[in-house]
Amino acid sequence: MSKRILSLIAAAALVLYAGAASAQQLSLSQISAYLNQLQTAQGGFTQINSDGTLYTGQIYIKRPGRIRFEYNPPSESMVMAGGGQLAVFDARSNTGPERYPLNQTPLSIILQPDVDLERARMVTNVVSDGPTTTVTAQDPDNPQYGNIQMVFTANPVELRQWIVTDDLGVETTVILNDLVAGGTLRDILFNIQAETRKRAG
């Protein structure tokens, strides 16, 4: 799939989401407040990888520190954060998940207990095209971990998409759809050890 097609998919998704949003650039304090009040959320997602492959699935968020990506068939992969770790379950592997410290990944920026995008050197770029505001953020103490580029709409403030650039410069785009905030999510959904045992059995 060409990069042009991928960019058109992403642009079309944003047009659908932003249709009713007014032309208003969001402030960093507004976005920080939105993320801090977003305790739980779930919905669908489309993931576009740097090699052009495309996946869909369900996402579950439980702040602070927990997120779960369940990929639709035929993929049996899963990405999960919990207990301070990020685990990547590859269905083709029988050696258990690859684990990384969550605080060394750009996703930790939106999953930390107190999001403060006005912190010095955290935000490296803010762009508004009218209906959307795009914020690029990094760990100010460890910029080598990569960054996350988040796209928000206004009225009400909502997170629509992000692009994570990891420490190797690899980009992964996640487009959110039908994300519903609130509700109860069981802790077991974010338990890496439990998921490891389940897959081993």
Side-chain angles (χ1 to χ4, degrees):
M1 187 177 292
S2 71
K3 289 186 176 181
R4 174 172 172 76
I5 293 175
L6 293 177
S7 64
L8 289 174
I9 291 173
L14 287 177
V15 167
L16 287 173
Y17 288 133
S22 64
Q24 173 188 342
Q25 177 169 332
L26 297 169
S27 68
L28 295 180
S29 62
Q30 284 177 300
I31 293 172
S32 296
Y34 162 78
L35 290 173
N36 285 324
Q37 61 82 34
L38 187 68
Q39 297 301 304
T40 60
Q42 58 184 303
F45 73 90
T46 298
Q47 177 176 311
I48 305 170
N49 299 316
S50 59
D51 62 359
T53 54
L54 187 148
Y55 295 96
T56 61
Q58 297 295 309
I59 186 173
Y60 303 87
I61 301 170
K62 190 172 186 178
R63 298 185 61 259
R66 287 165 287 187
I67 196 167
R68 177 185 176 107
F69 298 87
E70 290 182 359
Y71 293 87
N72 290 333
S75 174
E76 296 180 17
S77 298
M78 181 181 296
V79 176
M80 178 190 304
Q85 292 187 314
L86 181 73
V88 180
F89 292 87
D90 186 341
R92 297 166 296 182
S93 172
N94 57 7
T95 59
E98 294 183 35
R99 301 187 187 213
Y100 309 90
L102 178 60
N103 63 6
Q104 294 182 16
T105 71
L107 273 179
S108 65
I109 292 172
I110 61 175
L111 295 177
Q112 58 189 286
D114 182 18
V115 179
D116 181 10
L117 294 176
E118 295 181 289
R119 182 180 170 190
R121 305 189 317 278
M122 174 166 275
V123 170
T124 60
N125 195 31
V126 180
V127 177
S128 178
D129 64 0
T132 67
T133 300
T134 302
V135 176
T136 304
Q138 64 182 14
D139 180 342
D141 298 321
N142 297 282
Q144 71 273 16
Y145 292 159
N147 63 63
I148 183 168
Q149 187 180 104
M150 301 166 285
V151 180
F152 298 87
T153 53
N155 299 323
V157 181
E158 291 185 315
L159 176 62
R160 298 301 189 179
Q161 172 183 319
W162 67 65
I163 302 172
V164 166
T165 303
D166 68 14
D167 56 347
L168 299 177
V170 177
E171 292 187 356
T172 303
T173 300
V174 172
I175 301 168
L176 303 172
N177 55 77
D178 300 324
L179 189 69
V180 178
T184 301
L185 294 176
R186 296 176 300 146
D187 289 342
I188 194 69
L189 288 173
F190 312 95
N191 190 312
I192 295 171
Q193 288 76 15
E195 183 66 26
T196 301
R197 290 193 297 268
K198 175 183 175 183
R199 288 174 176 254

